[in-house]
Amino acid sequence: MVSFLEERAKNIGGGGQNIMTDAKSVLNMSITVTVSAQKPPAPHGYISISTKRLLHNLEINAGARASVWVDSMRASSPTHIKSTPDDQGAWNLHHPSALEMFEQIIDASKGKQIIMFLDYDGTLSPIVEDPDRAFMSNKMRKTVRKLAKCFPTAIVSGRCRDKVYKFVKLAELYYAGSHGMDIKGPEKRSKTDKVTEHVIFQPASEFLPMIDEVYKQLVETTKSTPGAKVENNKFCLSVHFRCVDEKKWSGLAQQVKSVLKEYPKLRLTQGRKVLEIRPTIKWDKGKALEFLLESLGFANCTDVFPVYIGDDRTDEDAFKILRDRGQGFGILVSKYPKDTNASYSLQEPDEVMDFLRRLVEWKQLSMGA
């Protein structure tokens, strides 16, 4: 396991620069998971995607025009997505409901170890105006707790890991915060009832001083934009514009860009009504998914079935990894047609909860519980 981690550390530097300084100072691997190995069934197929791209994951840079910024910011809001009934029907053919196709999904997973990966905002909790109040329901928490008893389960979020943990409050899960740049395994209790935390990967530790510095500048710079909120997610930053008047979006984007001009080692991308600032290293939710599969002992196994559920553009990195691997599948949470690498869809967190409940019920029945 150590050799894998050291090799991974050598390969995550971006832009031709050696981002990592000392692999051993970053990696503190202490994870032990036992899962049952089963013989794999015959390979299963995937639903192909042939629809035209409806949204573009814009990489914002110094030369971007204000109009392009605003168009992209509008596209991140479901209220601005226009689709006809025909568009919706065609999209549903390519990305059918995971609830309606549940039996097909179960058939594809038979004989394999299911591993669950869940985004938080918009997946386990509804999207709200105040990101600090994105609470998951007690029913959802109970469902996720039961899920984790049946399958290894990870929360993969752009949020700070500690903040996601405070929302979820389940010690038995894996948590990958800051878009996978801060990964921790489940808490373990010793016979003396001492709790041990297992921080297993933090590939962007050297960026912490820079992130804190930029956070302070962004808070000061965006004060003049009513409704703007800057969130420090430890290894990355989020500038939320959900509560900002649309007429001020262009100005806010320019404010953020003006701060980042002095920080070429940080990149700016866009999510669901949020501007994301991250280190320029080759690491994202897809890499985090691969890392966790490796950590669980499924490096090159054919008897594993990863399921990733998410609603945002940043989740596409994980969806693509699963499609490229030809294992498991992604489920996009969306009421509107979006270009995606996910195989199935669910419309809202309530449907996510229903899907997770059915998984738990199926597992319990299969075990004779």
Side-chain angles (χ1 to χ4, degrees):
M1 184 61 66
V2 174
S3 61
F4 158 70
L5 295 175
E6 291 177 342
E7 182 64 26
R8 179 73 74 182
K10 294 177 183 177
N11 294 328
I12 54 181
Q17 299 174 336
N18 183 13
I19 299 299
M20 301 301 295
T21 53
D22 181 0
K24 292 183 179 179
S25 67
V26 178
L27 309 180
N28 177 17
M29 183 66 193
S30 55
I31 179 174
T32 303
V33 179
T34 302
V35 291
S36 59
Q38 301 172 351
K39 293 182 179 180
H44 60 281
Y46 282 84
I47 301 173
S48 63
I49 295 178
S50 60
T51 53
K52 185 179 180 181
R53 294 188 65 86
L54 300 173
L55 297 174
H56 296 274
N57 186 10
L58 176 67
E59 181 87 15
I60 303 175
N61 54 56
R65 295 177 301 163
S67 60
V68 177
W69 285 57
V70 174
D71 286 345
S72 181
M73 293 166 87
R74 283 175 178 162
S76 72
S77 169
T79 58
H80 287 93
I81 299 176
K82 305 296 183 182
S83 62
T84 66
D86 288 342
D87 292 335
Q88 185 75 51
W91 190 82
N92 288 340
L93 286 176
H94 289 282
H95 312 95
S97 166
L99 286 171
E100 295 178 3
M101 304 298 290
F102 186 79
E103 295 302 324
Q104 176 181 314
I105 291 169
I106 291 303
D107 287 343
S109 69
K110 284 182 179 178
K112 299 185 178 183
Q113 172 65 56
I114 294 177
I115 312 290
M116 296 300 302
F117 298 89
L118 306 169
D119 181 28
Y120 183 76
D121 293 275
T123 300
L124 298 182
S125 72
I127 295 295
V128 294
E129 290 187 353
D130 183 355
D132 290 333
R133 300 190 63 81
F135 305 118
M136 66 190 298
S137 68
N138 288 330
K139 289 183 179 180
M140 179 67 86
R141 182 174 293 104
K142 289 177 181 178
T143 300
V144 175
R145 178 181 285 115
K146 291 178 181 178
L147 182 76
K149 291 181 179 179
C150 298
F151 315 102
T153 301
I155 307 295
V156 186
S157 172
R159 298 262 202 163
C160 169
R161 174 171 57 81
D162 291 339
K163 183 172 289 186
V164 175
Y165 182 84
K166 289 178 181 178
F167 281 139
V168 179
K169 300 176 182 177
L170 296 174
E172 57 267 42
L173 306 182
Y174 297 86
Y175 288 88
S178 302
H179 298 286
M181 287 183 281
D182 188 9
I183 303 177
K184 183 180 80 69
E187 293 181 358
K188 298 184 182 297
R189 290 186 177 273
S190 65
K191 293 181 179 179
T192 59
D193 207 36
K194 182 180 179 180
V195 176
T196 303
E197 289 193 356
H198 300 278
V199 177
I200 58 178
F201 200 41
Q202 293 179 336
S205 294
E206 71 173 83
F207 286 88
L208 286 176
M210 184 184 298
I211 292 291
D212 289 338
E213 184 178 309
V214 172
Y215 170 70
K216 294 174 183 177
Q217 291 187 38
L218 285 174
V219 169
E220 184 65 27
T221 302
T222 61
K223 282 195 308 186
S224 60
T225 304
K229 183 178 179 63
V230 184
E231 184 177 15
N232 189 338
N233 293 311
K234 192 172 182 177
F235 293 98
C236 59
L237 301 170
S238 298
V239 181
H240 300 273
F241 57 88
R242 183 168 298 278
C243 297
V244 176
D245 188 301
E246 187 171 329
K247 294 178 181 178
K248 297 184 179 295
W249 287 2
S250 176
L252 176 63
Q254 294 295 343
Q255 288 175 335
V256 174
K257 186 173 69 170
S258 69
V259 171
L260 294 183
K261 281 181 179 179
E262 304 301 321
Y263 298 92
K265 289 187 177 181
L266 298 179
R267 63 190 175 104
L268 183 60
T269 58
Q270 193 169 318
R272 192 169 177 179
K273 283 204 170 180
V274 62
L275 300 175
E276 304 274 10
I277 297 97
R278 289 187 266 171
T280 54
I281 62 173
K282 297 176 181 178
W283 200 260
D284 51 39
K285 290 184 176 182
K287 297 292 186 182
L289 181 150
E290 286 188 309
F291 176 87
L292 284 167
L293 287 177
E294 294 270 6
S295 301
L296 289 163
F298 292 107
N300 298 300
C301 296
T302 58
D303 59 352
V304 62
F305 196 82
V307 178
Y308 189 107
I309 308 179
D311 76 309
D312 206 351
R313 293 179 182 178
T314 56
D315 298 310
E316 289 298 325
D317 294 316
F319 295 155
K320 187 176 186 302
I321 288 292
L322 294 182
R323 186 171 290 281
D324 290 346
R325 287 172 65 102
Q327 288 180 302
F329 57 85
I331 300 176
L332 176 68
V333 184
S334 177
K335 292 183 178 180
Y336 306 91
K338 293 181 181 180
D339 184 47
T340 181
N341 284 294
S343 299
Y344 300 96
S345 64
L346 293 167
Q347 292 201 359
E348 56 192 359
D350 281 347
E351 286 198 356
V352 173
M353 184 165 60
D354 288 344
F355 178 79
L356 299 182
R357 281 176 173 171
R358 292 188 67 178
L359 270 180
V360 169
E361 291 171 357
W362 167 77
K363 181 63 174 181
Q364 291 174 340
L365 286 173
S366 66
M367 296 177 64

